[in-house]
Amino acid sequence: MEGAGPVFVVLLGAPGAGKGTQAKYLAKALEVPHISSGHIFRVNLQVDSELGRKASDYLARGELVPDDVTIGMIRDRLAQADCGRGAVLDGFPRTPAQAEALDELLGERGARVAAVLYIKVDEAVLIQRLSGRWMCRQAGHVYHQLFNPPKAPGVCDVDGSPLYQRSDDTEETVAHRIAVYLRQTAPLIEHYRKRGQITEIDGGQPIEVVSRQSLAALPEG
Ligand code: AP5
């Protein structure tokens, strides 16, 4: 992909499908930033910013943050200099309005979505994954107590920051997040399929296999 214009990759999939895990891998391989809308909200919650206060109740309930707030946040993030070569978008867009806004935001830069990877995982597996997930405070690196444990318990391999379990990873909130995903985000699969941009990846395979197939699915990847 060297020499080409900016590369913006969208990852779609249910909560726990492995978007964050694969986004970190792809961003490193493509040398572009990993933009996780959920992570940006969580960082803002932690520092109690205005954005964090706006998003707080929605995150706690497993509901989507309103489109205007989310789109404004992504607009600001994409305007930063490190997005000049593209980005891996994890968790955005999540509604038709967000997909439309993304096209506009990229269009203003003479860019477009290069590929959409739909990471597909059985629903029963999602709960098991989220209940064993641990994340690092600093950058959202993702672990699983069984499937992808850190080298030292409770410490991020990459940046040494403490690991924590997300408060929206309780069984009840996860079930609601999956329902919200099916109602509000799953229709985007068809939207991007019609545009001939979607590649379906079997996310039930080991992490390394999903990574390999994801990278291979990118244009000229
Ligand atoms: P967000 O942070 O985006 O959460 P999510 O979409 O629910 O996705 P997750 O982060 O839970 O899962 P993931 O697919 O990234 O899986 P992961 O790689 O961690 O959003 C949180 C909240 O923010 C939303 O509920 C909403 O309120 C708000 N929000 C965010 N974006 C928004 C938007 N655009 N609009 C409005 N509101 C928004 O993997 C899960 C676990 O499985 C890990 O433990 C991992 O180690 C393990 N694992 C991963 N892959 C494999 C594998 N292949 N095999 C075995 N284990 C694996």
Side-chain angles (χ1 to χ4, degrees):
M1 246 169 282
E2 217 172 303
V7 179
F8 289 92
V9 177
V10 168
L11 297 188
L12 281 181
K19 301 181 297 296
T21 301
Q22 299 305 330
K24 287 259 177 266
Y25 171 82
L26 293 174
K28 198 170 173 199
L30 297 172
E31 297 180 36
V32 298
H34 163 203
I35 299 182
S36 158
S37 40
H39 181 69
I40 301 176
F41 285 134
R42 283 186 289 278
V43 168
N44 276 276
L45 262 177
Q46 226 175 311
V47 298
D48 196 27
S49 72
E50 195 188 334
L51 176 63
R53 285 192 292 276
K54 278 184 189 163
S56 169
D57 285 351
Y58 298 98
L59 264 81
R61 291 198 308 265
E63 298 282 346
L64 295 188
V65 177
D67 281 337
D68 58 335
V69 176
T70 306
I71 291 167
M73 172 184 88
I74 293 292
R75 180 186 295 118
D76 291 347
R77 182 64 188 88
L78 289 175
Q80 290 176 23
D82 63 341
C83 295
R85 299 187 60 233
V88 177
L89 297 169
D90 157 17
F92 183 93
R94 247 167 152 112
T95 63
Q98 292 180 17
E100 206 177 301
L102 179 62
D103 285 343
E104 280 172 25
L105 290 170
L106 297 186
E108 287 164 12
R109 293 163 176 72
R112 61 193 289 272
V113 172
V116 181
L117 305 184
Y118 165 37
I119 305 177
K120 194 176 175 190
V121 174
D122 284 347
E123 210 173 305
V125 176
L126 300 173
I127 310 264
Q128 191 191 15
R129 284 197 182 172
L130 293 178
S131 59
R133 171 167 64 181
W134 288 82
M135 301 191 69
C136 93
R137 283 262 175 233
Q138 192 164 308
H141 293 106
V142 189
Y143 300 88
H144 190 280
Q145 58 198 31
L146 299 176
F147 309 135
N148 183 27
K151 290 191 183 100
V155 182
C156 178
D157 293 353
V158 184
D159 54 38
S161 71
L163 302 182
Y164 74 103
Q165 288 196 290
R166 275 170 47 177
S167 57
D168 63 346
D169 276 351
T170 61
E171 207 166 313
E172 193 188 345
T173 312
V174 166
H176 188 62
R177 281 162 55 204
I178 294 171
V180 167
Y181 163 79
L182 291 172
R183 191 173 63 242
Q184 293 182 266
T185 306
L188 289 185
I189 296 164
E190 204 41 45
H191 166 81
Y192 284 115
R193 206 191 299 280
K194 280 187 188 143
R195 287 178 23 171
Q197 286 192 303
I198 210 146
T199 303
E200 192 170 307
I201 309 276
D202 174 4
Q205 307 174 95
I207 292 174
E208 301 72 27
V209 178
V210 179
S211 299
R212 242 189 344 265
Q213 293 184 359
S214 298
L215 192 59
L218 301 183
E220 299 166 43

